[in-house]
Tab-separated table of all heavy atoms in Angstrom:
chain	number	residue	atom	x	y	z
P	93	ASP	N	-23.187	29.197	-29.805
P	93	ASP	CA	-23.407	28.842	-28.401
P	93	ASP	C	-24.767	28.185	-28.179
P	93	ASP	O	-24.884	27.181	-27.475
P	93	ASP	CB	-23.294	30.089	-27.513
P	93	ASP	CG	-21.831	30.460	-27.272
P	93	ASP	OD1	-20.954	29.626	-27.597
P	93	ASP	OD2	-21.581	31.565	-26.780
P	94	ASN	N	-25.798	28.778	-28.791
P	94	ASN	CA	-27.147	28.227	-28.609
P	94	ASN	C	-27.285	26.848	-29.211
P	94	ASN	O	-27.865	25.940	-28.610
P	94	ASN	CB	-28.190	29.154	-29.242
P	94	ASN	CG	-28.528	30.294	-28.309
P	94	ASN	OD1	-28.272	30.198	-27.102
P	94	ASN	ND2	-29.061	31.365	-28.870
P	95	GLU	N	-26.726	26.688	-30.412
P	95	GLU	CA	-26.788	25.374	-31.065
P	95	GLU	C	-26.020	24.342	-30.249
P	95	GLU	O	-26.449	23.203	-30.111
P	95	GLU	CB	-26.187	25.459	-32.473
P	95	GLU	CG	-27.032	26.242	-33.458
P	95	GLU	CD	-26.280	26.579	-34.745
P	95	GLU	OE1	-25.034	26.584	-34.745
P	95	GLU	OE2	-26.945	26.846	-35.744
P	96	LEU	N	-24.890	24.774	-29.676
P	96	LEU	CA	-24.071	23.859	-28.885
P	96	LEU	C	-24.844	23.380	-27.658
P	96	LEU	O	-24.842	22.189	-27.329
P	96	LEU	CB	-22.775	24.557	-28.460
P	96	LEU	CG	-21.780	23.700	-27.681
P	96	LEU	CD1	-21.319	22.512	-28.525
P	96	LEU	CD2	-20.565	24.522	-27.246
P	97	ALA	N	-25.534	24.290	-26.997
P	97	ALA	CA	-26.298	23.917	-25.804
P	97	ALA	C	-27.305	22.822	-26.138
P	97	ALA	O	-27.410	21.826	-25.410
P	97	ALA	CB	-27.000	25.151	-25.232
P	98	SER	N	-28.009	22.953	-27.247
P	98	SER	CA	-29.000	21.915	-27.523
P	98	SER	C	-28.331	20.634	-28.025
P	98	SER	O	-28.787	19.537	-27.694
P	98	SER	CB	-30.113	22.405	-28.454
P	98	SER	OG	-29.569	22.925	-29.616
P	99	ALA	N	-27.223	20.758	-28.758
P	99	ALA	CA	-26.509	19.551	-29.201
P	99	ALA	C	-25.979	18.773	-28.000
P	99	ALA	O	-26.014	17.536	-27.972
P	99	ALA	CB	-25.363	19.932	-30.127
P	100	ILE	N	-25.490	19.485	-26.990
P	100	ILE	CA	-24.941	18.813	-25.813
P	100	ILE	C	-26.049	18.159	-24.999
P	100	ILE	O	-25.920	17.028	-24.536
P	100	ILE	CB	-24.105	19.797	-24.983
P	100	ILE	CG1	-22.751	19.978	-25.688
P	100	ILE	CG2	-23.911	19.294	-23.551
P	100	ILE	CD1	-21.838	20.984	-25.073
P	101	ASN	N	-27.161	18.837	-24.867
P	101	ASN	CA	-28.294	18.222	-24.177
P	101	ASN	C	-28.711	16.928	-24.865
P	101	ASN	O	-29.011	15.934	-24.210
P	101	ASN	CB	-29.475	19.193	-24.139
P	101	ASN	CG	-29.449	20.027	-22.883
P	101	ASN	OD1	-29.822	19.561	-21.817
P	101	ASN	ND2	-28.943	21.242	-23.001
P	102	TYR	N	-28.709	16.963	-26.175
P	102	TYR	CA	-29.085	15.796	-26.955
P	102	TYR	C	-28.061	14.668	-26.754
P	102	TYR	O	-28.415	13.530	-26.445
P	102	TYR	CB	-29.173	16.210	-28.424
P	102	TYR	CG	-29.639	15.128	-29.331
P	102	TYR	CD1	-30.972	14.717	-29.339
P	102	TYR	CD2	-28.745	14.489	-30.178
P	102	TYR	CE1	-31.401	13.708	-30.175
P	102	TYR	CE2	-29.163	13.473	-31.022
P	102	TYR	CZ	-30.494	13.084	-31.012
P	102	TYR	OH	-30.906	12.078	-31.830
P	103	ALA	N	-26.765	15.004	-26.892
P	103	ALA	CA	-25.704	13.997	-26.768
P	103	ALA	C	-25.639	13.450	-25.345
P	103	ALA	O	-25.330	12.276	-25.125
P	103	ALA	CB	-24.361	14.604	-27.156
P	104	ALA	N	-25.940	14.296	-24.370
P	104	ALA	CA	-25.824	13.893	-22.972
P	104	ALA	C	-26.770	12.739	-22.638
P	104	ALA	O	-26.453	11.875	-21.821
P	104	ALA	CB	-26.102	15.090	-22.062
P	105	GLU	N	-27.907	12.719	-23.302
P	105	GLU	CA	-28.873	11.649	-23.012
P	105	GLU	C	-28.260	10.287	-23.261
P	105	GLU	O	-28.657	9.306	-22.646
P	105	GLU	CB	-30.124	11.840	-23.856
P	105	GLU	CG	-30.905	13.046	-23.379
P	105	GLU	CD	-32.291	13.139	-23.956
P	105	GLU	OE1	-32.519	12.543	-25.024
P	105	GLU	OE2	-33.124	13.824	-23.339
P	106	GLU	N	-27.286	10.234	-24.166
P	106	GLU	CA	-26.670	8.957	-24.507
P	106	GLU	C	-25.731	8.430	-23.427
P	106	GLU	O	-25.617	7.232	-23.245
P	106	GLU	CB	-25.869	9.108	-25.795
P	106	GLU	CG	-26.545	8.506	-26.982
P	106	GLU	CD	-25.721	8.727	-28.227
P	106	GLU	OE1	-24.511	8.428	-28.187
P	106	GLU	OE2	-26.291	9.207	-29.209
P	107	PHE	N	-25.002	9.317	-22.778
P	107	PHE	CA	-23.991	8.800	-21.845
P	107	PHE	C	-24.351	8.986	-20.372
P	107	PHE	O	-23.623	8.529	-19.505
P	107	PHE	CB	-22.603	9.388	-22.160
P	107	PHE	CG	-22.375	10.818	-21.734
P	107	PHE	CD1	-21.889	11.107	-20.458
P	107	PHE	CD2	-22.625	11.858	-22.601
P	107	PHE	CE1	-21.657	12.413	-20.061
P	107	PHE	CE2	-22.410	13.165	-22.223
P	107	PHE	CZ	-21.927	13.448	-20.952
Side-chain angles (χ1 to χ4, degrees):
D93 282 348
N94 278 341
E95 290 167 338
L96 183 61
S98 54
I100 283 176
N101 268 282
Y102 184 73
E105 290 192 338
E106 256 178 50
F107 76 89

